[in-house]
Amino acid sequence: MTSALPYALIATDLDGTLLCAGDTVSARSYAALATARSAGARHIVVTGRPVPQVRHVLDDLGYTGLAVCGQGAQVYDAARGRLLHSVSMDRGLAEVALGKIEAEIGEVYAAVNQEGLDAEMLIGPGYRMWQPHLPTVRVPRRGDLWSAPINKVLLQHPELDDDELTRVARSVVGDLVNVTMAGEHTVELQPPGIDKASGLARAAQLLGVPGSGTIAFGDMPNDVPMFAWSAHGVAMANAHQELVAVADEVTLSNEDHGIAVVLERLYG
């Protein structure tokens, strides 16, 4: 049945892509995804958020499939509430990377996502959380960030913008860790070799769908590897130019139901 489908797998980022304000999915996007699933396509969420920060969204969607979380570090089975795969980041390596970056541009502010289904996001001194609806725990010292296993580090700089911070971090520690920009005020360090493409490829293999049968939707540079792996990459109108440059198509913004516009054309 799926051989006649335009794409057997629909991979969607969440923030700035599928989600509208308030972590909601529009009725039109919800209906378009339901139509695609009825035709035989599979939908998979691929997000930079770790599992604890995304489960409420999946629950609201009635989502029971696999989800790639933590920027590709986690594959989560929403139906069973289980992590099928998870990669932790070496905390010593994270400290070394931060030290090298600070030697180049001065103090940076850091936070971490801890590893696990019920893990916390720890916020170090100076770090500003721009998504106040997501639960966090503020710690008094940077050393407290390393108190338990983590899957990524989030960075901010008091003066440099996201693009410049990403550029500098890549030039300094790009051979040690994966550096990506996941959203506004969200520059991240991950274990080497971990990105949305690696996580999506692992999940898609479990579903029996190749990259050649996948369409991907995103809005930020962290979606570039996912677009490279997929047959067709669709950037939102609100997308970062780095992603637009490699997209096969640009749709409307997340607030204007951009995913639905494409899916209605393909599966309507």
Side-chain angles (χ1 to χ4, degrees):
M1 179 178 182
T2 57
S3 61
L5 289 170
Y7 300 99
L9 186 63
I10 302 163
T12 64
D13 172 48
L14 287 182
D15 296 287
T17 302
L18 179 61
L19 295 184
C20 299
D23 275 6
T24 59
V25 176
S26 74
R28 184 176 173 185
S29 294
Y30 188 91
L33 284 166
T35 298
R37 288 195 302 270
S38 296
R42 310 287 289 271
H43 172 219
I44 187 167
V45 165
V46 185
T47 177
R49 297 192 198 188
V51 173
Q53 294 185 346
V54 80
R55 276 187 298 192
H56 67 288
V57 176
L58 302 181
D59 291 344
D60 289 347
L61 274 172
Y63 187 92
T64 57
L66 300 182
V68 177
C69 304
Q71 218 64 268
Q74 300 171 318
V75 177
Y76 174 64
D77 183 336
R80 293 187 288 170
R82 288 182 52 198
L83 272 173
L84 303 183
H85 178 73
S86 190
V87 178
S88 62
M89 184 172 191
D90 183 276
R91 286 169 279 177
L93 178 63
E95 283 193 283
V96 168
L98 283 179
K100 287 179 174 291
I101 293 169
E102 289 187 319
E104 186 73 17
I105 56 173
E107 184 181 19
V108 295
Y109 307 140
V112 300
N113 287 135
Q114 292 184 322
E115 175 72 9
L117 282 176
D118 298 303
E120 296 176 315
M121 181 176 183
L122 303 185
I123 305 294
Y127 191 93
R128 182 176 177 183
M129 188 63 184
W130 293 85
Q131 296 84 24
H133 58 286
L134 297 178
T136 60
V137 175
R138 188 164 290 280
V139 296
R141 297 174 300 276
R142 176 176 290 177
D144 297 329
L145 298 176
W146 322 121
S147 59
I150 63 172
N151 57 44
K152 63 179 176 179
V153 179
L154 302 91
L155 302 181
Q156 293 172 357
H157 191 273
E159 297 174 1
L160 299 182
D161 64 19
D162 301 327
D163 289 294
E164 183 64 9
L165 178 55
T166 302
R167 186 195 66 77
V168 172
R170 281 178 180 162
S171 70
V172 175
V173 297
D175 58 334
L176 297 177
V177 296
N178 184 38
V179 182
T180 192
M181 187 198 307
E184 191 175 11
H185 313 295
T186 312
V187 176
E188 301 182 354
L189 309 181
Q190 304 159 250
I194 297 299
D195 57 26
K196 284 193 174 185
S198 67
L200 177 56
R202 179 177 291 272
Q205 184 176 33
L206 294 174
L207 298 175
V209 182
S212 60
T214 302
I215 183 172
F217 294 83
D219 73 309
M220 291 300 292
N222 64 326
D223 295 312
V224 169
M226 179 169 72
F227 277 25
W229 184 84
S230 303
H232 193 78
V234 183
M236 314 306 289
N238 48 287
H240 190 282
Q241 283 303 305
E242 186 177 329
L243 187 67
V244 171
V246 301
D248 298 296
E249 179 180 352
V250 177
T251 186
L252 299 181
S253 72
N254 58 322
E255 297 291 345
D256 291 325
H257 322 288
I259 287 179
V261 169
V262 176
L263 296 185
E264 287 164 0
R265 184 187 80 224
L266 294 174
Y267 302 92

